[in-house]
Amino acid sequence: MLDYIKYYLAPCIQVLATLGFYWGGDYAWIAIAAFPALAIGDALLPYDLKKRNMKSHFWAYLPVWLSTLMLPVMYVVFAWSIANHDLTYWQMIAGVLGCAWLSVVPGVPATHELYHSRGRLARFAGRYGQIAFLDTMRMEVHVVGHHRDVGTAEDCDTASRGTNLYSFVFRSMIMSTGLEMKLDADTLEKRGHTRYGIRHSVWRALLTVVVFLTAIYFIGGWVAVGLCFAAMLVARFWVEAFNYYQHYGQIRVEGTPIEKHHVWNHYGTLSRLVAFEITNHADHHLNSYIPYYKLVPDEGAIPVRSIIVCFLSGFIPPLWHNVIIKPALRRWDREHASPAERRLAQEQNRRAGWEDWFDDQGGRGKKPDKSALAHG
């Protein structure tokens, strides 16, 4: 029973933040205050490598649904607060950042979990719940593109070595949007329709934004529209930023099988809960229909720090590269990469201007002894 209850942390944070918007004033800070609270807690608590004991799909998915449905509610109440409370500029900025943050965590993992489901209603909710971060077209390119191309140059969610967060985010936004539009256009053409005709998902995506912001206008006026749209833009930037950390620098030869080690796992106690195990998703790449509560932590994985610590470090590229990711990649190349992957990794290191840590092994890796996860 405790395993079920723990995952209600995410929707409870959203409800508390929404109440903060409803109460107005400095309570508007509750939403964004969740970020440092989670960051500190996740960094200080020990790693969580426990397998979940959850048998009921309904009770396991209820918090996922609640977190998804709370996304538009949160924006609506924020818009109402703007119209009905005399918020200061700082309180409105806090609201924008708070809506953006909670759109990403738990918004992204909750919607991700639903659109990977087999049920049509769940996929519908997962797709359009992504309006909170302006990405209702993401489902196809993620399921068809990312899950097929992970670790290769074709994957818009895999950052090559030496890439900083800022260049990756803009590249990923442009590349993913282009792939989303091309995938749908190709499908329409195969069915005998016009590539970018009225059936194309881009028009549904734009209509969703218009309808949602129109509702925001009637609730809170033009100021609410501007601030909510700003929150959605910030959220989209942060979404791409989180993608940056999940597969950074990892190499897979195109056409080869996807293995557990082609994913970075982050086993922070709190992040596993509020992110519905999206930081523990090696098994998810082996079978994308496995529900989050059945994912088993990979104890042989290379240890990396809390996803929130990684997220913050990425804004300072030298810190991210030298302190966090290079030591992890060095071990990954030596312990997990195949000979072909090591050759590609060595070339990426050279292009990035990184040191060549293959010299002492002549380009050969070694299998690890017993991998142990230490807190960091």
Side-chain angles (χ1 to χ4, degrees):
M1 179 59 70
L2 180 60
D3 279 345
Y4 292 100
I5 295 173
K6 289 190 292 188
Y7 288 97
Y8 284 87
L9 175 62
C12 283
I13 291 173
Q14 289 173 294
V15 169
L16 185 60
T18 303
L19 285 173
F21 293 142
Y22 177 76
W23 293 327
D26 285 335
Y27 289 110
W29 287 89
I30 292 176
I32 191 57
F35 174 65
L38 288 172
I40 295 170
D42 210 43
L44 294 179
L45 290 171
Y47 278 121
D48 180 5
L49 291 170
K50 294 179 182 176
K51 181 181 177 181
R52 304 310 188 209
N53 182 26
M54 301 165 73
K55 307 297 183 184
S56 170
H57 186 80
F58 174 83
W59 290 111
Y61 259 56
L62 186 56
V64 176
W65 274 94
L66 290 174
S67 286
T68 300
L69 296 175
M70 279 301 300
L71 294 172
V73 172
M74 180 176 63
Y75 276 94
V76 164
V77 176
F78 179 47
W80 179 89
S81 182
I82 292 167
N84 291 275
H85 292 299
D86 188 20
L87 299 179
T88 67
Y89 288 117
W90 284 111
Q91 289 164 352
M92 287 189 284
I93 290 172
V96 168
L97 296 177
C99 282
W101 168 248
L102 294 178
S103 294
V104 179
V105 180
V108 169
T111 56
H112 169 268
E113 187 67 25
L114 290 182
Y115 69 63
H116 269 290
S117 300
R118 295 182 186 272
R120 181 174 296 181
L121 180 60
R123 292 200 305 271
F124 177 87
R127 175 195 294 275
Y128 290 104
Q130 295 176 106
I131 184 62
F133 45 91
L134 293 174
D135 205 7
T136 60
M137 293 170 59
R138 187 68 167 225
M139 185 171 77
E140 284 79 9
V141 75
H142 176 85
V143 174
V144 177
H146 173 61
H147 276 264
R148 178 192 61 198
D149 300 326
V150 62
T152 71
E154 299 300 315
D155 181 29
C156 59
D157 288 345
T158 299
S160 60
R161 302 179 186 203
T163 305
N164 66 55
L165 174 66
Y166 305 99
S167 61
F168 170 81
V169 164
F170 290 108
R171 169 188 172 274
S172 182
M173 288 176 66
I174 294 170
M175 189 175 175
S176 64
T177 302
L179 285 172
E180 289 160 4
M181 296 184 68
K182 183 180 183 300
L183 278 173
D184 204 40
D186 290 345
T187 301
L188 289 172
E189 187 175 48
K190 289 176 183 177
R191 295 175 179 175
H193 302 301
T194 306
R195 287 182 62 82
Y196 293 98
I198 194 65
R199 292 180 176 85
H200 197 285
S201 60
V202 68
W203 306 117
R204 293 195 300 272
L206 290 173
L207 179 62
T208 303
V209 173
V210 170
V211 170
F212 185 69
L213 290 180
T214 299
I216 293 297
Y217 168 76
F218 282 113
I219 294 166
W222 285 114
V223 173
V225 170
L227 292 177
C228 287
F229 188 69
M232 293 154 74
L233 283 174
V234 173
R236 178 63 189 274
F237 179 92
W238 286 347
V239 168
E240 303 296 349
F242 270 99
N243 284 332
Y244 178 75
Y245 306 104
Q246 293 290 75
H247 306 281
Y248 185 96
Q250 295 186 336
I251 306 290
R252 183 174 67 87
V253 177
E254 190 173 348
T256 59
I258 298 171
E259 299 179 11
K260 276 191 173 186
H261 66 254
H262 291 117
V263 178
W264 293 120
N265 293 292
H266 309 263
Y267 296 124
T269 297
L270 296 181
S271 55
R272 279 189 67 183
L273 301 178
V274 297
F276 296 110
E277 301 293 335
I278 204 170
T279 62
N280 164 36
H281 76 304
D283 284 341
H284 173 71
H285 272 273
L286 303 182
N287 180 357
S288 63
Y289 285 117
I290 297 177
Y292 79 93
Y293 57 90
K294 292 185 179 180
L295 297 173
V296 179
D298 179 13
E299 296 192 39
I302 303 297
V304 287
R305 297 176 187 270
S306 157
I307 184 64
I308 303 178
V309 171
C310 289
F311 174 75
L312 290 171
S313 71
F315 289 93
I316 308 173
L319 178 63
W320 161 249
H321 286 136
N322 297 319
V323 176
I324 295 181
I325 201 60
K326 279 187 181 181
L329 281 171
R330 185 191 299 265
R331 282 192 58 187
W332 190 91
D333 289 337
R334 293 177 173 183
E335 299 176 9
H336 291 303
S338 68
E341 289 171 340
R342 284 192 287 275
R343 287 192 291 272
L344 292 175
Q346 190 172 26
E347 176 59 24
Q348 274 200 22
N349 280 12
R350 186 192 64 78
R351 289 201 305 267
W354 289 5
E355 60 270 30
D356 185 355
W357 48 67
F358 299 87
D359 285 348
D360 58 347
Q361 296 182 7
R364 299 184 304 276
K366 68 178 181 67
K367 291 296 180 183
D369 298 323
K370 181 73 174 178
S371 179
L373 283 169
H375 179 60

